[in-house]
């Protein structure tokens, strides 16, 4: 999911030392009149709706695609977008009817087949899409995406095209809130061009959203232009967005101060105390559906063996969350007491305190638990995170200091800073990390299920620590099948209590969205996911 103003020559003299900041040294630069110049980071992979599950790539997909549902930029409520109706009589069989008039930016008509083909592609194991598991509830997923071996079917038996405007979905079990998940970009439609010349599409993705991609130079910038033929009612109010890559958010903030950048949505922790004075009303700080955690690599036997749950819980109790958030984050973080976010509210499933004592700082208990569990593997842990955004080096040092102090050993915890977000993500994906690593989860849709199932369900899309617990999985399945949201939330809370006992990931803090912008632009807001609502921004 940022100071005093300096002369431009001084800013650029600093920026040349930092690779990604070079794009910020051109004043108006290539942005031009009417273009919003915003800070950004290279996505992990080439952009595909079903293969992108990280924030930077997600920002772009949210600009170039629209799906069946869209989450209201203020409330987060799931509202129909391309869907005219989503009907069911049993919470398991759904009939989806599309609105008229939607096309892709290349002129292709958006039809029911655009969705069905995209979903079949996403689910098929051969295509190795990171978000494939979002389709696991559709009937036939076990055939197209078996747990092992080759697929025995190429398409999901639960999907059927009825006509250009209608398709049906049969789930393998009841899932009462399934329609509310359909605003996530993994469910976006795809044009025939995606399948006819996949390599060409990847070089310049074509979608059906308010913007089109003009160009992308890795490590430098992506340029997007308003699509004049966009049929939606959320048309872009600017002529385009230039996403400039920064590997240091301090440099982005400096460029914002110098007038070389319009929007920074990752204000450095070192600047939080100055941001209000520097920017006035152009500083945004609001609650968001984001939580930061430390994930244990449960795929490593030294962390998953019996008794290590005591060590994991002990490490959690050794972290003084309140002190860290008070000293570093200037009211933009709140100590976490569960694995979700207060932004969900009661209806969405948030319940404070489910982590219990394990999320309460207690140095003596922490030390005893770790000793009872056999001690730290190898006598020391190493925390890993990217350090190009998010002030992650600062909090990692603070967490290690807290752990070292609690254990009375200044070498018990050290940090492993990774230079770029993309490299960090690759190390996680390839299971190269043998110690706790940062995981920041930004909700895809405002339901408790989204904070639990993708991260902790066996073999789920973002379960990078490879935690697996049959009872946890059972409770999630039962919650999804429950026709009452309140009853479903109760089961999800039971599942969270399993996380509290097993501690596969340490909840650190809930994160506010924070941003700063120049006086060149207006109508800047962050949605509940802490992403700028780019299409609403006005220039001039």
């Amino acid at each position: 999911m940022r100071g005093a103003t300096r002369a431009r020559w001084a800013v650029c003299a600093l920026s040349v030392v930092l690779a990604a900041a070079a794009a910020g040294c051109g004043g108006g630069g290539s942005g031009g009149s009417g273009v919003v110049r915003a800070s950004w980071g290279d996505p992990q992979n080439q952009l595909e709706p079903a293969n992108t599950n990280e924030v930077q790539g997600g920002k772009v997909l949210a600009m170039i695609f629209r799906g069946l549902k869209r989450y209201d930029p203020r409330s987060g409520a799931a509202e129909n977008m391309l869907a005219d109706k989503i009907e069911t009589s049993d919470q398991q069989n759904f009939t989806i009817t599309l609105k008229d008039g939607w096309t892709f930016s290349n002129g292709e008509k958006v039809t029911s087949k655009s969705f069905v083909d995209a979903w079949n592609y996403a689910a098929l194991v051969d295509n190795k899409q990171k978000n494939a598991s979002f389709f696991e509830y559709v009937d036939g997923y076990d055939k197209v995406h078996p747990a092992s071996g080759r697929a025995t079917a190429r398409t999901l038996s639960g999907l059927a095209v009825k006509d250009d405007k209608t398709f049906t979905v049969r789930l393998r079990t009841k899932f009462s809130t399934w329609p509310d998940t359909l605003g996530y970009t993994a469910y976006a439609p795809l044009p025939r061009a995606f399948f006819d010349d996949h390599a060409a599409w990847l070089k310049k993705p074509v979608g059906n959203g308010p913007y089109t991609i003009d160009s992308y130079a890795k490590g430098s910038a992506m340029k997007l232009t308003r699509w004049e033929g966009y049929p939606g009612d959320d048309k872009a109010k600017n002529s385009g967005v230039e996403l400039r890559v920064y590997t240091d958010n301090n440099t982005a903030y400096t460029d914002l101060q110098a007038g070389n950048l319009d929007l920074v949505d990752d204000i450095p922790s070192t600047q939080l105390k100055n941001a209000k004075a520097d920017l006035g009303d152009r500083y945004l700080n609001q609650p968001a559906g984001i939580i930061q955690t430390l994930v244990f690599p449960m795929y490593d036997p030294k962390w998953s063996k019996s008794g290590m749950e005591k060590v994991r819980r002990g490490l959690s109790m050794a972290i003084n969350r309140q002190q860290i958030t008070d000293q570093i984050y200037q009211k933009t973080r709140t100590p976490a007491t569960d694995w979700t976010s207060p932004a969900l509210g009661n209806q969405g499933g948030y319940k404070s305190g489910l982590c219990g004592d394990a999320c309460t700082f207690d140095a003596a208990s922490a030390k005893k638990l770790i000793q009872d569990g056999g001690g730290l593997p190898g006598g020391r842990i190493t925390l890993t995170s990217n350090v190009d955004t998010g002030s992650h080096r600062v909090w990692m040092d603070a967490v290690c200091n807290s752990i070292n102090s609690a254990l009375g050993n200044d070498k018990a915890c050290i940090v492993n800073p990774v230079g770029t977000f993309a490299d960090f993500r690759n190390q996680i994906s390839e299971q190269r990390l043998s110690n706790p690593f940062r995981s920041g989860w930004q909700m895809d849709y405002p339901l408790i299920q989204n904070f639990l199932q993708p991260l902790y369900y066996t073999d789920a899309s973002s379960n990078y620590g490879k935690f697996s617990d049959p009872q946890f999985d059972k409770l999630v399945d039962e919650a999804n099948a429950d026709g009452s949201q309140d009853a479903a939330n109760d089961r999800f809370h039971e599942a969270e209590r399993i996380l509290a006992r097993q501690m596969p990931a340490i909840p650190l803090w809930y994160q506010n969205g924070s941003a700063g912008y120049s006086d060149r632009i207006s109508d800047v807001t962050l949605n509940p996911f802490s992403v700028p609502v780019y299409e609403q921004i006005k220039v001039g």
Side-chain angles (χ1 to χ4, degrees):
M1 315 209 67
R2 297 165 161 126
T5 302
R6 306 180 184 182
R8 177 175 297 176
W9 68 266
V11 175
C12 289
L14 170 65
S15 296
V16 293
V17 217
L18 300 155
C25 291
S30 56
S33 177
V35 172
V36 178
R37 304 162 300 171
S39 62
W40 188 53
D42 284 312
Q44 180 186 13
N45 302 308
Q46 290 176 293
L47 297 174
E48 293 179 276
N51 202 37
T52 299
N53 60 358
E54 42 79 20
V55 175
Q56 305 303 336
K59 289 177 183 177
V60 179
L61 293 177
M63 286 193 274
I64 67 171
F65 278 103
R66 288 293 180 265
L68 294 169
K69 294 269 189 178
R70 185 177 182 235
Y71 302 112
D72 182 89
R74 293 192 179 277
S75 69
E79 300 174 342
N80 283 353
M81 195 68 188
L82 271 71
D84 183 40
K85 294 180 293 184
I86 301 178
E87 300 172 300
T88 182
S89 59
D90 60 4
Q91 316 302 320
Q92 186 170 358
N93 292 277
F94 296 83
T95 298
I96 299 172
T97 306
L98 303 180
K99 294 176 181 176
D100 286 321
W102 281 85
T103 67
F104 294 99
S105 61
N106 64 357
E108 289 184 42
K109 186 177 180 181
V110 180
T111 67
S112 54
K113 197 171 187 297
S114 307
F115 285 96
V116 170
D117 287 351
W119 295 7
N120 279 324
Y121 178 88
L124 184 61
V125 66
D126 300 15
N127 296 325
K128 300 178 180 179
Q129 299 291 282
K130 293 183 181 298
N131 290 329
S133 65
F134 277 87
F135 300 89
E136 67 180 346
Y137 277 89
V138 180
D139 218 14
Y141 181 81
D142 58 333
K143 301 293 193 300
V144 302
H145 203 112
S148 61
R150 299 175 63 86
T152 57
R154 306 293 294 179
T155 59
L156 292 160
S157 58
L159 299 181
V161 173
K162 296 304 180 184
D163 55 47
D164 276 0
K165 288 180 57 180
T166 313
F167 67 103
T168 59
V169 183
R170 184 177 68 253
L171 305 182
R172 61 176 172 80
T173 187
K174 292 183 177 181
F175 190 169
S176 59
T177 57
W178 179 76
D180 287 347
T181 72
L182 298 178
Y184 183 46
T185 50
Y187 297 106
L190 288 170
R192 282 309 314 166
F194 176 91
F195 304 97
D196 294 342
D197 193 341
H198 191 213
W201 191 94
L202 287 176
K203 290 179 180 178
K204 195 170 184 179
V206 172
N208 65 324
Y211 294 92
T212 61
I213 295 175
D214 280 347
S215 63
Y216 171 45
K218 187 174 182 180
S220 179
M222 176 178 284
K223 298 177 183 178
L224 300 100
T225 299
R226 176 176 61 208
W227 176 28
E228 299 296 345
Y230 175 65
D233 57 9
D234 56 336
K235 298 179 186 293
K237 296 179 180 179
N238 49 70
S239 62
V241 178
E242 183 177 351
L243 298 172
R244 298 181 175 182
V245 178
Y246 285 82
T247 57
D248 186 322
N249 58 355
N250 285 286
T251 308
Y253 188 81
T254 303
D255 275 359
L256 173 67
Q257 291 294 90
N260 298 323
L261 196 64
D262 296 316
L263 176 61
V264 172
D265 65 343
D266 180 24
I267 294 182
S269 61
T270 54
Q271 297 293 347
L272 289 172
K273 62 181 180 297
N274 304 318
K276 183 64 177 176
D278 288 344
L279 302 170
D281 291 341
R282 293 182 286 109
Y283 167 57
L284 304 178
N285 176 27
Q286 65 187 56
I290 302 175
I291 187 172
Q292 297 285 341
T293 64
L294 278 173
V295 175
F296 290 96
M298 303 296 281
Y299 51 79
D300 189 316
K302 68 174 180 282
W303 284 110
S304 58
K305 66 183 181 181
S306 178
M308 288 304 291
E309 68 279 0
K310 294 180 180 178
V311 176
R312 298 191 297 268
R313 284 170 53 85
L315 285 168
S316 178
M317 297 178 76
I319 299 172
N320 192 334
R321 295 163 178 79
Q322 191 67 60
Q323 184 181 72
I324 293 171
T325 54
D326 285 349
Q327 292 183 354
I328 296 176
Y329 287 118
Q330 303 291 315
K331 298 182 180 180
T332 63
R333 306 289 190 275
T334 306
T337 66
D338 87 319
W339 285 262
T340 68
S341 167
L344 292 176
N346 293 335
Q347 180 63 27
Y350 172 69
K351 185 173 183 178
S352 176
L354 288 173
C355 184
D357 291 344
C359 285
T360 301
F361 177 64
D362 185 335
S365 296
K367 189 172 184 177
K368 184 177 188 305
L369 269 174
I370 291 171
Q371 290 172 342
D372 290 349
L376 301 178
R380 184 168 68 183
I381 62 166
T382 302
L383 309 185
T384 298
S385 173
N386 63 303
V387 293
D388 51 341
T389 61
S391 307
H392 297 312
R393 179 59 192 259
V394 178
W395 71 254
M396 281 199 299
D397 285 339
V399 166
C400 269
N401 288 340
S402 183
I403 291 172
N404 290 341
S405 176
L407 301 185
N409 178 359
D410 61 6
K411 295 181 180 179
C413 179
I414 61 174
V415 302
N416 172 36
V418 178
T420 67
F421 178 72
D423 185 21
F424 173 58
R425 290 285 301 183
N426 287 335
Q427 291 188 40
I428 292 173
S429 300
E430 295 163 11
Q431 296 183 15
R432 286 190 270 146
L433 299 175
S434 58
N435 270 286
F437 53 88
R438 179 186 70 85
S439 179
W441 186 253
Q442 173 185 320
M443 66 182 181
D444 303 308
Y445 42 86
L447 295 172
I448 184 174
Q449 181 264 354
N450 184 239
F451 280 89
L452 300 184
Q453 185 163 352
L455 282 79
Y456 307 111
Y457 194 94
T458 301
D459 292 330
S461 59
S462 296
N463 185 353
Y464 290 108
K466 297 302 177 184
F467 171 70
S468 180
D469 184 279
Q471 183 61 20
F472 179 90
D473 293 352
K474 179 174 181 287
L475 287 167
V476 168
D477 287 341
E478 290 173 351
N480 286 334
D482 206 305
S484 159
Q485 183 63 51
D486 288 342
N489 287 342
D490 287 343
R491 291 190 190 273
F492 281 124
H493 296 155
E494 288 184 55
E496 280 201 84
R497 292 185 179 97
I498 291 175
L499 299 182
R501 294 194 295 271
Q502 295 294 324
M503 197 59 68
I506 295 174
L508 293 175
W509 34 77
Y510 310 121
Q511 182 172 326
N512 278 16
S514 62
Y517 59 97
S518 74
D519 56 10
R520 182 174 171 267
I521 62 175
S522 61
D523 290 10
V524 181
T525 59
L526 300 176
N527 64 23
F529 307 90
S530 189
V531 173
V533 187
Y534 294 100
E535 67 271 12
Q536 292 184 0
I537 298 173
K538 296 177 182 177
V539 180

